[in-house]
């Protein structure tokens, strides 16, 4: 295979270069470091129209032309600073099947708000984030990764899974099933799951690691993102173990940094499965994104989402990421590309351009956050020659059950979708090799309306997600009309594309509130009317004012299904 290609794009503001948050809303010149160590200047055209376009990208029904328009603008900005030669190198490396790593390092904080994954190549029209084998990583300048205080002999490839449904229902059972499929006996739900997670509960679990409990290699945090001021935070449970509806608190990026910073060296990876966890908020915001603040604290690798992340996309991405990481010889960089490629398969979402990796070029291009030690996991464990064959046989059975469980679980909420799960091969760790994500199979199944662990006819091996049932609240959305009706479905139900569009496009409720249950009628011309079910009626007028019509694209593409009716269940 060809040698990997490394490209570093290093930016600084031509004015107030030493003040990263000194943003002036106008066209601004920036300096870009050349490969030879010099600098070239280029002006970026900040405008209200551009901000409107960036905001429109957050809508899952955004027009495809918008992506390429923003990508073309980014390319024009780079054109005057030697991008042409770099682009030729990218095209050549992609054709040769080489790994490509592009590092975005900027002393101007506002440039992290730009979706560099959408930079369009002039010759092919491809967007960077869609090129096979290419990973974009973000790096804050003048920071370095903390040294690892844990000796290799103590590493067990442990993943701590913390989730909170205080901000709304989350697919906790699906994420846990994916971890169990990937890690098998190395994942202990009683020890490695923090349900209804609060700030204090996560802190306590991290503090026990390396003492009472084994060291934690990776933290997966599943919750909702929430706006706070001009930035975003995480919606966690207000108190340890709180499971009551709306018992939530929004933890800002600075406080999340305080939570993670004491463990920056021991933790090798943090995955934030939360909407807007990689979003910087308003330009000039001094706080930065949650992912960026954790990264600046010295974490070696942070994965987050720049835009709202679909619930199905979250399960699909995390399942593919940890399945790939658990495989011998698969680096984080390769696993990230595999998981991103799994998101590309859903043309109705922009999740593939949303996921971000914060990592440093100085740490290299082949990091292994879940590398296990060669020693036995526990004193009573069998020798490797006797233990591994049976372990991998069990892992294969668990992986098959997890795939079926994920398909079943998503029948409860957002439309069922494929989950890319890669089972690791039982071989000695070797140099990095391509990881194949199998094409998932969609099964026509039925499922009860609540996550009660009732046996289903097609579950090959029961994986009981009872310990992490998010809440007893209803799922976020009704299933697609193609699902066999085991729940009441209105006649003329709308396609899943419309359900997802409205879930992401409707206005947020008042602070601390919950969006009521809605019945939405979509007219043949795309007009929307709202009826609030069993709650205060005020939200209906807010929804009608904010979103009176379906997007023009969906109205045109789904004309044959209109008019239609759907029910959207409560969601904060």
């Amino acid at each position: 295979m060809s040698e990997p290609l490394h490209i570093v794009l290093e930016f600084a503001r031509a004015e107030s270069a030493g003040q990263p948050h000194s943003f002036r809303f106008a066209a601004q010149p920036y300096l870009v470091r050349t490969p030879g160590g010099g600098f070239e200047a280029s002006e970026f055209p900040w405008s209200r129209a551009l901000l409107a376009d960036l905001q429109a990208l957050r809508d899952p029904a955004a027009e495809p032309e918008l992506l390429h328009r923003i990508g073309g603008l980014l390319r024009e900005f780079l054109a005057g600073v030697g991008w042409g030669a770099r682009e030729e190198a990218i095209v050549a490396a992609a054709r040769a099947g080489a790994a490509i790593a592009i590092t975005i390092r900027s002393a101007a904080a506002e440039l992290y708000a730009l979706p560099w994954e959408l930079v369009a190549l002039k010759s092919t029209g491809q967007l960077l984030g869609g090129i096979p084998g290419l990973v974009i990583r973000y790096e804050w300048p003048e920071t370095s990764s903390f040294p690892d205080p844990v000796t290799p002999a103590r590493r067990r490839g442990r993943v701590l899974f913390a989730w909170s449904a205080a901000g709304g229902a989350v697919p906790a059972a699906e994420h846990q099933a994916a971890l169990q499929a990937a890690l098998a006996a190395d994942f202990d739900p009683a020890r490695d799951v923090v349900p209804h997670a609060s700030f204090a509960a996560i802190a306590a679990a991290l503090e026990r690691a390396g003492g009472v409990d084994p060291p934690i290699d990776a933290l997966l945090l599943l919750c909702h993102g929430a706006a706070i001021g001009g930035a975003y935070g995480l919606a966690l449970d207000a108190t340890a173990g709180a499971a009551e509806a709306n018992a939530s608190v929004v933890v800002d990026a600075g406080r999340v940094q305080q939570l993670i910073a004491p463990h920056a060296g021991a933790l090798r990876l943090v995955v934030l499965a939360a909407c807007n966890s990689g979003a910087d908020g308003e330009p000039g915001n001094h706080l930065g994104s949650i992912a960026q603040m954790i990264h600046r604290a010295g974490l070696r690798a942070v994965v987050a989402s720049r835009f709202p992340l679909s619930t199905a996309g979250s399960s699909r991405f995390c399942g593919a990421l940890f399945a790939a990481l658990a495989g011998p010889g698969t680096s984080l960089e390769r696993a990230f590309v595999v998981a991103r490629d799994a998101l590309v398969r859903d043309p109705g979402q922009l999740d593939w351009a949303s996921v971000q990796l914060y990592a440093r070029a100085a740490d290299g291009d082949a990091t292994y956050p879940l590398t296990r030690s060669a020693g036995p996991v526990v004193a009573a464990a069998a020798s490797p020659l006797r233990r591994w064959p049976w372990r991998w046989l069990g892992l294969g059975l668990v992986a098959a059950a997890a795939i079926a469980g994920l398909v079943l679980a998503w029948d409860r909420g957002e439309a069922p979708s494929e989950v890319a799960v890669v089972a690791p091969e039982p071989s000695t760790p070797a140099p990095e090799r391509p990881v194949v994500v199998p094409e998932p199979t969609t099964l026509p199944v039925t499922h009860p309306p609540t996550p009660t662990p009732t046996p289903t006819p097609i579950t090959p091996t029961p994986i009981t997600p009872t310990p992490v049932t998010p809440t007893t609240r209803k799922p976020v959305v009704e299933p697609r009309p193609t699902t066999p009706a085991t729940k009441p479905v209105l006649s003329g139900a709308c396609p899943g594309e419309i359900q997802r569009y409205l879930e992401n496009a409707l206005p947020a409720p008042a602070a601390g509130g919950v969006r009521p249950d809605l019945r939405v009628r979509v007219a043949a011309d795309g007009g929307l009317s709202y009826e609030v079910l069993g709650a205060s009626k005020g939200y209906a007028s807010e929804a009608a004012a904010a979103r009176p019509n379906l997007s023009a694209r969906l109205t045109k593409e789904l004309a044959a299904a209109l008019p239609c009716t759907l029910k959207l269940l409560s969601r904060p």
Side-chain angles (χ1 to χ4, degrees):
M1 182 177 289
S2 301
E3 289 295 318
L5 173 64
H6 307 93
I7 294 175
V8 177
L9 296 176
E10 188 170 0
F11 304 97
R13 205 181 299 108
E15 302 172 2
S16 304
Q19 302 176 29
H21 301 287
S22 182
F23 175 72
R24 179 171 53 84
F25 191 78
Q28 290 197 49
Y30 294 89
L31 301 177
V32 183
R33 188 185 297 274
T34 64
F39 289 90
E40 295 182 358
S42 183
E43 184 176 85
F44 190 80
W46 292 102
S47 67
R48 294 293 176 187
L50 172 62
L51 290 186
D53 281 349
L54 292 175
Q55 182 64 26
L57 276 179
R58 304 170 63 78
D59 189 330
E63 299 292 338
E65 188 272 338
L66 177 61
L67 279 65
H68 289 267
R69 183 165 73 244
I70 293 177
L73 182 66
L74 290 171
R75 190 195 178 282
E76 289 176 8
F77 170 62
L78 295 174
V81 291
W83 177 250
R86 288 165 169 161
E87 182 175 302
E88 291 178 1
I90 291 172
V91 173
R95 289 175 176 171
I100 306 168
I102 299 179
T103 302
I104 305 292
R105 182 188 301 144
S106 176
E110 64 271 15
L111 294 185
Y112 291 100
L114 298 175
W116 297 97
E117 292 82 3
L118 302 184
V119 171
L121 299 184
K122 183 178 181 180
S123 58
T124 66
Q126 286 177 286
L127 305 181
L128 283 185
I131 296 176
L134 186 150
V135 60
I136 297 177
R137 58 190 173 198
Y138 294 84
E139 174 185 337
W140 190 267
E142 299 182 340
T143 66
S144 59
S145 300
F146 269 43
D148 188 352
V150 181
T151 60
R154 297 175 60 205
R155 289 289 183 188
R156 295 291 180 265
R158 183 187 172 198
V159 177
L160 180 69
F161 173 39
W163 63 265
S164 171
V170 294
E174 290 75 16
H175 282 66
Q176 178 172 330
L179 291 175
Q180 289 175 314
L183 305 175
D186 289 325
F187 183 77
D188 179 3
R191 179 197 65 192
D192 298 332
V193 177
V194 183
H196 302 290
S198 66
F199 187 97
I202 298 172
L206 292 174
E207 288 168 2
R208 288 194 302 269
V212 177
D213 293 338
I216 297 171
D217 295 77
L219 168 65
L220 170 58
L221 180 53
L222 170 66
C223 62
H224 281 270
I228 178 169
Y232 291 94
L234 300 178
L236 300 178
D237 280 72
T239 57
E244 304 91 331
N246 303 323
S248 66
V249 60
V250 179
V251 182
D252 66 67
R255 292 302 305 275
V256 176
Q257 185 190 62
Q258 287 180 312
L259 173 67
I260 302 298
H263 314 281
L267 273 176
R268 300 197 282 190
L269 170 65
V270 171
V271 179
L272 300 173
C275 296
N276 305 306
S277 51
D280 285 71
E282 299 174 0
N285 162 43
H286 280 243
L287 199 53
S289 73
I290 304 164
Q292 186 182 96
M293 291 298 285
I294 296 176
H295 163 77
R296 292 176 66 179
L299 258 292
R300 182 159 187 168
V302 184
V303 175
S305 176
R306 179 196 302 278
F307 304 132
L309 184 64
S310 72
T311 47
S314 173
S315 293
R316 187 183 305 116
F317 179 82
C318 290
L321 180 71
F322 283 100
L325 285 174
T330 304
S331 68
L332 172 61
E333 291 75 13
R334 175 60 181 159
F336 182 86
V337 171
V338 168
R340 183 197 65 198
D341 290 348
L343 296 177
V344 173
R345 297 174 183 173
D346 185 355
Q349 298 288 349
L350 196 58
D351 292 335
W352 67 268
S354 179
V355 290
Q356 291 179 292
L357 171 63
Y358 270 87
R360 297 174 179 85
D363 290 335
D365 300 320
T367 54
Y368 300 89
L370 298 190
T371 299
R372 298 165 175 80
S373 72
V377 176
V378 294
S383 66
L385 289 178
R386 298 177 56 190
R387 178 168 58 92
W388 281 105
W390 292 105
R391 174 177 178 175
W392 290 113
L393 175 61
L395 177 57
L397 294 174
V398 172
I403 294 172
L406 288 173
V407 174
L408 287 171
W410 274 111
D411 185 45
R412 299 197 303 271
E414 193 165 332
S417 56
E418 66 272 22
V419 179
V421 177
V422 183
E425 298 179 6
S427 60
T428 303
E432 185 175 335
R433 63 173 182 269
V435 177
V436 179
V437 182
E439 289 290 342
T441 303
T442 302
L443 302 176
V445 297
T446 61
H447 202 280
T450 59
T452 304
T454 303
T456 56
I458 68 165
T459 305
T461 301
I463 294 180
T464 305
T466 303
V468 296
T469 302
T471 63
T472 57
R473 288 178 282 178
K474 294 179 286 186
V476 176
V477 294
E478 292 289 326
R480 289 183 179 177
T482 56
T483 304
T486 58
K487 294 182 280 188
V489 179
L490 299 175
S491 61
C494 295
E497 292 87 346
I498 295 179
Q499 293 179 346
R500 293 195 299 270
Y501 170 79
L502 290 175
E503 281 294 334
N504 288 278
L506 287 177
V514 176
R515 194 193 71 201
D517 292 352
L518 293 172
R519 179 177 288 113
V520 185
R521 293 180 175 85
V522 185
D525 62 356
L528 302 174
S529 60
Y530 303 88
E531 177 187 357
V532 174
L533 304 176
S536 170
K537 308 300 181 183
Y539 185 84
S541 58
E542 296 178 25
R547 189 64 58 175
N549 296 289
L550 198 62
S551 71
R553 180 177 68 83
L554 287 180
T555 300
K556 180 179 179 181
E557 292 180 358
L558 303 176
L562 303 180
C564 64
T565 305
L566 73 154
K567 186 187 294 182
L568 300 177
L569 303 185
S570 60
R571 178 175 175 181

